[in-house]
Amino acid sequence: KQEVTQIPAALSVPEGENLVLNCSFTDSAIYNLQWFRQDPGKGLTSLLLIQSSQREQTSGRLNASLDKSSGRSTLYIAASQPGDSATYLCAVRGANNLFFGTGTRLTVIP
Amino acid sequence: DAGVIQSPRHEVTEMGQEVTLRCKPISGHNSLFWYRQTMMRGLELLIYFNNNVPIDDSGMPEDRFSAKMPNASFSTLKIQPSEPRDSAVYFCASSPRSSGVTYEQYFGPGTRLTVT
């Protein structure tokens, strides 16, 4: 069974700092990988989707990379802002399922 | 577009009662997913539909759980009878293509279920 791990579980950074969130998965036979943001008590907002044939995707200050062979993805956030504070989840798509990591809780300190 | 709509947003019920959660996917989306989120297990896919047909229900924990999608704009997740360990946040998501989880999923705000 696919296992998805996110490290660190929590991260605090001062405003303006660049940061990287990590996601690793055990089975490299994936169709795509998706990064989500979840605010407390809220649903999930999709940030970036990387197909298995892609290496990276960019949206504004966010850049996500995918290395399927090593089972890793990173989410890079440039010039972090207090509004970026949330839990970030990665999810990998297998044949018939979407497997989620447990998330990284990010706090950006003003 | 209003996004994925879920109701109720909060549900508190007593053990043994029937619980029905509702979801309206984004108009035009062909696929619908039900997830459960708990502190212990994180987010888990329960079941998903393509074009109103259940494709994979292997994530449904027990026979007490059932899901239906009578038409393209409505789905229900029912728990009967409910138990305290069913307490969780239940999310519904929809996707714009028939190939299901291949494409980006859009999540609803969730229903927080508490079974006492």
Side-chain angles (χ1 to χ4, degrees):
Chain A
K1 180 184 175 183
Q2 177 77 268
E3 292 185 7
V4 183
T5 304
Q6 290 187 246
I7 295 173
L11 178 65
S12 290
V13 299
E15 181 177 2
E17 192 165 296
N18 302 325
L19 60 101
V20 175
L21 306 180
N22 297 293
C23 173
S24 61
F25 45 96
T26 54
D27 186 350
S28 62
I30 66 170
Y31 286 77
N32 62 43
L33 184 145
Q34 196 167 353
W35 281 94
F36 294 88
R37 167 186 174 139
Q38 186 174 28
D39 293 281
K42 301 289 180 63
L44 281 74
T45 301
S46 178
L47 299 174
L48 290 164
L49 174 71
I50 310 178
Q51 301 293 350
S52 62
S53 58
Q54 298 175 320
R55 298 282 294 183
E56 66 177 339
Q57 283 284 341
T58 298
S59 176
R61 295 183 294 109
L62 305 179
N63 176 277
S65 69
L66 175 63
D67 184 341
K68 228 175 55 162
S69 61
S70 66
R72 293 181 181 178
S73 176
T74 62
L75 179 66
Y76 174 82
I77 303 177
S80 59
Q81 303 170 357
D84 295 332
S85 298
T87 296
Y88 290 80
L89 295 138
C90 70
V92 299
R93 189 235 160 169
N96 289 307
N97 207 338
L98 193 62
F99 297 91
F100 280 84
T102 51
T104 294
R105 188 171 67 252
L106 172 67
T107 303
V108 180
I109 304 165
Chain B
D1 195 316
V4 176
I5 299 172
Q6 290 187 248
S7 65
R9 293 295 308 277
H10 302 273
E11 176 79 31
V12 180
T13 191
E14 292 183 349
M15 182 174 66
Q17 295 297 308
E18 177 180 297
V19 175
T20 299
L21 311 181
R22 297 172 177 78
C23 175
K24 176 179 169 53
I26 294 173
S27 177
H29 282 193
N30 302 98
S31 298
L32 183 140
F33 311 83
W34 282 100
Y35 292 90
R36 178 172 67 176
Q37 185 177 37
T38 62
M39 288 293 292
M40 292 298 293
R41 300 173 67 89
L43 264 160
E44 302 172 285
L45 177 66
L46 301 176
I47 184 172
Y48 79 89
F49 296 83
N50 279 351
N51 295 318
N52 312 339
V53 177
I55 301 301
D56 185 353
D57 64 354
S58 59
M60 297 285 262
E62 299 172 33
D63 291 344
R64 297 184 295 107
F65 286 70
S66 62
K68 294 182 179 179
M69 192 164 185
N71 57 62
S73 59
F74 183 66
S75 176
T76 59
L77 178 67
K78 185 177 294 186
I79 308 172
Q80 167 63 22
S82 58
E83 297 182 4
R85 58 195 171 112
D86 301 331
S87 298
V89 180
Y90 290 81
F91 288 103
C92 176
S94 68
S95 176
R97 298 291 187 94
S98 293
S99 48
V101 295
T102 307
Y103 297 93
E104 189 169 4
Q105 296 185 23
Y106 298 81
F107 279 70
T111 294
R112 183 174 295 277
L113 173 65
T114 303
V115 183
T116 61

